Amino acid sequence: MKIRTRFAPSPTGYLHIGGARTALFSWLYAKKMGGEFVLRIEDTDRERSTQEAVDAILEGMNWLGLSHDEGPVYQTDRYDRYKEVIKTLLNEDNAYYCNCSRERLDKMREEQMANKQKPKYDGCCRDKGLAEAEDTVVRFKNPLEGDVEITDHVRGKVIVSNQEIDDLIIERSDGNPTYNLTVVVDDWDMKISHVIRGDDHLNNTPRQINILKALNAHIPEYAHVPMINGTDGKKLSKRRDAVSVMQYRDDGYLKEAVINYLVRLGWSHGDQEIFSPEEMIEKFDIDDINKSSSSLSIEKLQWLNQHYMKQMTPVQLAKELQFYIKQANLDITDGPNLVEVMKVYQERCSTLVELVEDIRYFYEDITEYNAKQAKKQFKPAAAEVLQSLKDSYEALDDWSAEAIHQVLENTVEKLEIGFGKVGQPLRLAVTGHGRSPSIDITLELLGKQQTLIRLEKAIEFIESYL
RNA sequence: GUCCCCAUCGUCUAGAGGCCUAGGACACCUGGUUUUCAUCCAGGCAACAGGGGUUCGACUCCCCUUGGGGACGCCA
């Protein structure tokens, strides 16, 4: 049998990080098995589904490179089919019309809760043989006795008593089918062999299996993957955590890092931390997915991101950075060649956003000096050092890192002070803060003219301070 | 409340009864390299939730407790 997996989000918001991981797992498994990955949009909730959300999900999938082999299939395009299945269920006495009012249902639930019982539909209309009417819904006739057994690739065997499951609504009073019916029909029709989805659906599985059985349909294999918690170990929260996948891109993370981070959340292969896409496909297996939920760790993501940034070629990195340069409103037309800057900067940052900010001084005037550094480096004596450097650099024709470095050494010797007393004030003068690549390379990239201007400014700054 | 699921360092995890004095990674700390920062290298701190069984022997199996999560919708 051909392996077919699917990702079936409901378009009520962006693609969130947990959904992305589920999609990744489904995608990896399909790829590994030489199967197909289907994208299905579960938009039967007409109230909440939006086109913007569909676009956002597609954008997220696209960014991560989780391409689908089939779809996107929209459930709203398949209403005729759902109607047909519901009719079959009705005809075969596996479903019935129900005219219980919402008020009655609400009241019943309340009473059951008060009686320390699990709220369940009491089957009031189950044997009434009601006909379709204005306010009727269709309910599935769940078996009254026996157990449902789920064999899950992550959980193992899970057994649920049918007494725990009530007669769920499969068609709303407005004629729209509901989730539990549509997933079942779609997974069946689309010949989905493996349903890989979030843990939150585990409780729905027994009722879905019952519907499948009533339909005499093939029951797929299941893998319910655990949830992802926020950085504090609690449920993901929009306020604390970056939940949307695109937020990670905007925050300066490479898709390679995000994918690698996600694959290791709930899955592992021995002690290996870094996986190329090919390795992931080769080594991933749904039987190796962990049972317990995991928490997000931005530090680890940052480490992975830095790893992938270091691994890129300067040209690739420069290309990748374009998006962030635009976002940061930085104009790089005047200043050193970006690729050259990447060469000396790519090991120094953990996100692309940070990288843009770190190289900003090459392309824009310094508006202020880092206060802490200024206090430390811009002491009165530094003005003299900077003046000496400025004089020497002014006279320097060969603006190469080697020559620049030679000047530095000469200055150290001439003034009889330590390297730190020269290098650090100089670094602060030209970059505005205390960190940069080797100071000679930094100056070379910055250029002679800018170097002299900034030295002059720094000297003025120190003198005005006195 | 009822049902279902889960439980190893702060975090991600290895561990499928003896290989465990519980391994790796991130973070953190220390030292080295670096005129700075970062990288890199060396080292360190740090966990089997608790209690009962089963067994010659439990991180590994069973039960209970505790703690966390999920479901209980005319949402998906």
Side-chain angles (χ1 to χ4, degrees):
Chain A
M1 197 173 84
K2 185 127 188 144
I3 300 299
R4 281 166 65 86
T5 63
R6 48 49 157 205
F7 178 54
S10 67
T12 52
Y14 41 75
L15 174 61
H16 70 89
I17 198 76
R21 189 189 57 167
T22 305
L24 172 64
F25 284 177
S26 299
W27 183 86
L28 283 173
Y29 192 64
K31 293 288 162 211
K32 178 199 177 68
M33 305 302 284
E36 284 154 359
F37 177 59
V38 182
L39 179 62
R40 185 171 74 219
I41 306 294
E42 310 219 321
D43 53 356
T44 52
D45 184 346
R46 306 232 174 168
E47 303 272 304
R48 278 178 271 193
S49 300
T50 65
Q51 186 58 43
E52 294 77 67
V54 172
D55 294 342
I57 290 165
L58 258 22
E59 186 188 24
M61 295 288 283
N62 189 43
W63 180 59
L64 291 174
L66 302 177
S67 54
H68 45 271
D69 302 300
E70 215 175 285
V73 176
Y74 293 83
Q75 290 192 319
T76 40
D77 289 340
R78 290 176 42 78
Y79 273 34
D80 291 346
R81 174 61 178 148
Y82 304 137
K83 275 271 183 220
E84 183 186 311
V85 173
I86 291 166
K87 187 164 281 175
T88 306
L89 252 12
L90 242 13
N91 288 342
E92 294 178 354
D93 197 31
N94 281 316
Y96 58 93
Y97 287 105
C98 164
N99 64 3
C100 291
S101 68
R102 294 178 203 240
E103 292 69 36
R104 182 179 115 77
L105 261 23
D106 289 344
K107 198 178 157 212
M108 186 168 63
R109 257 193 289 273
E110 246 170 69
E111 282 169 7
Q112 285 165 331
M113 291 276 259
N115 280 330
K116 307 194 173 205
Q117 286 175 325
K118 182 175 182 171
K120 271 162 49 183
Y121 178 61
D122 61 356
C124 173
C125 299
R126 186 173 167 115
D127 298 311
K128 281 186 181 167
L130 259 30
E132 182 171 13
E134 182 69 17
D135 269 332
T136 52
V137 298
V138 179
R139 286 185 185 272
F140 174 68
K141 231 178 204 178
N142 196 76
L144 265 9
E145 286 166 9
D147 298 323
V148 188
E149 191 177 304
I150 309 166
T151 310
D152 191 278
H153 281 270
V154 178
R155 308 282 147 180
K157 194 175 281 182
V158 179
I159 297 167
V160 179
S161 166
N162 272 322
Q163 290 177 13
E164 294 296 329
I165 311 170
D166 64 0
D167 292 346
L168 67 152
I169 292 171
I170 54 177
E171 187 183 280
R172 300 177 174 98
S173 51
D174 64 2
N176 283 318
T178 61
Y179 165 74
N180 278 298
L181 189 272
T182 59
V183 240
V184 161
V185 176
D186 284 347
D187 286 340
W188 178 29
D189 285 356
M190 293 170 192
K191 296 186 164 52
I192 299 303
S193 65
H194 292 72
V195 172
I196 301 168
R197 66 188 3 168
D199 219 357
D200 48 340
H201 289 289
L202 187 60
N203 286 285
N204 287 323
T205 309
R207 32 181 41 161
Q208 289 170 13
I209 288 177
N210 282 337
I211 298 177
L212 247 5
K213 280 182 181 163
L215 254 17
N216 234 330
H218 176 257
I219 296 167
E221 309 252 331
Y222 293 98
H224 286 93
V225 318
M227 305 275 90
I228 295 177
N229 297 132
T231 44
D232 58 354
K234 299 228 175 68
K235 197 176 167 178
L236 272 174
S237 128
K238 233 176 177 173
R239 292 190 57 183
R240 275 192 316 268
D241 314 295
V243 230
S244 160
V245 157
M246 297 316 286
Q247 186 63 49
Y248 287 88
R249 180 201 57 181
D250 294 348
D251 287 349
Y253 296 98
L254 257 11
K255 74 153 196 283
E256 290 81 356
V258 173
I259 290 276
N260 198 144
Y261 178 72
L262 286 179
V263 83
R264 280 286 290 97
L265 218 51
W267 176 81
S268 61
H269 184 80
D271 286 339
Q272 191 170 346
E273 295 287 349
I274 307 289
F275 294 87
S276 69
E278 295 72 30
E279 274 178 310
M280 272 181 218
I281 291 168
E282 186 201 325
K283 291 170 174 168
F284 180 79
D285 198 323
I286 50 174
D287 290 305
D288 297 332
I289 298 173
N290 280 182
K291 290 175 174 176
S292 50
S293 54
S294 36
S295 305
L296 248 26
S297 162
I298 296 301
E299 286 85 4
K300 189 143 188 179
L301 209 210
Q302 283 178 340
W303 172 73
L304 276 165
N305 204 55
Q306 186 157 22
H307 168 83
Y308 281 103
M309 280 171 68
K310 282 191 292 186
Q311 230 178 29
M312 295 179 110
T313 65
V315 174
Q316 284 174 317
L317 191 58
K319 205 176 152 200
E320 201 68 48
L321 204 65
Q322 294 303 327
F323 172 84
Y324 299 92
I325 288 171
K326 270 194 209 89
Q327 291 280 303
N329 233 328
L330 182 65
D331 181 1
I332 59 162
T333 44
D334 293 323
N337 178 282
L338 190 60
V339 174
E340 294 304 314
V341 174
M342 292 300 99
K343 283 182 188 168
V344 294
Y345 258 99
Q346 72 183 122
E347 287 193 347
R348 320 181 79 84
C349 303
S350 58
T351 70
L352 296 164
V353 167
E354 199 185 313
L355 178 53
V356 170
E357 289 318 313
D358 270 16
I359 65 169
R360 188 165 218 121
Y361 70 88
F362 278 124
Y363 307 99
E364 285 179 358
D365 291 337
I366 299 169
T367 49
E368 60 179 3
Y369 298 106
N370 177 288
K372 214 174 144 192
Q373 286 293 319
K375 200 173 171 196
K376 202 171 154 192
Q377 305 299 344
F378 282 176
K379 293 190 173 140
E384 189 191 335
V385 175
L386 294 179
Q387 187 60 53
S388 169
L389 282 169
K390 181 170 174 272
D391 293 343
S392 306
Y393 284 137
E394 211 148 21
L396 187 66
D397 289 326
D398 172 22
W399 196 255
S400 67
E402 295 76 30
I404 291 165
H405 187 78
Q406 194 54 52
V407 168
L408 233 36
E409 290 207 13
N410 294 346
T411 308
V412 167
E413 209 173 309
K414 191 178 82 187
L415 301 177
E416 294 181 327
I417 52 175
F419 222 128
K421 290 250 188 284
V422 180
Q424 278 310 100
L426 174 57
R427 174 171 279 113
L428 181 60
V430 297
T431 70
H433 50 251
R435 23 184 310 220
S436 87
S438 293
I439 191 66
D440 43 11
I441 293 172
T442 303
L443 293 192
E444 185 189 60
L445 284 170
L446 185 64
K448 181 172 175 176
Q449 197 194 356
Q450 271 302 315
T451 299
L452 296 178
I453 291 172
R454 291 181 190 192
L455 278 172
E456 180 59 39
K457 269 186 149 177
I459 293 163
E460 280 171 18
F461 177 85
I462 297 171
E463 282 169 351
S464 73
Y465 198 79
L466 293 176

